[in-house]
Amino acid sequence: MPLPLLGSLLNLDISENDFTKTLEPKDRKSVLHALLEDCLKAAAKDEPLLIVIEDLHWIDALSQNLLGNLRTR
């Protein structure tokens, strides 16, 4: 279960599990992106979802990549 990957993103103390401990950085990023996509799809399942991103001009490269991937799906 990839839930511990959300810990650092949401500043929560969620211990790594056997699955997340063994993930290589590239795989960790891919799994986190997929998890975030699944969460957003679930939230938008029954009604439209509006996401407002303030100060987008300060976005870092990794976040920009994530938003670009989510936008194309």
Side-chain angles (χ1 to χ4, degrees), residues 5-39:
L5 297 179
L6 291 176
S8 61
L9 184 68
L10 301 174
N11 199 27
L12 298 173
D13 187 23
I14 302 174
S15 298
E16 295 281 335
N17 59 32
D18 291 339
F19 174 74
T20 59
K21 283 179 187 176
T22 61
L23 287 174
E24 295 294 324
K26 184 178 179 182
D27 297 329
R28 192 174 194 79
K29 177 184 165 190
S30 295
V31 171
L32 178 58
H33 283 198
L35 178 59
L36 290 172
E37 181 180 348
D38 290 347
C39 289

Side-chain angles (χ1 to χ4, degrees), residues 44-57:
K45 181 181 176 190
D46 296 325
E47 57 190 6
L49 179 65
L50 173 67
I51 300 173
V52 177
I53 302 173
E54 191 172 322
D55 293 331
L56 188 62
H57 59 284

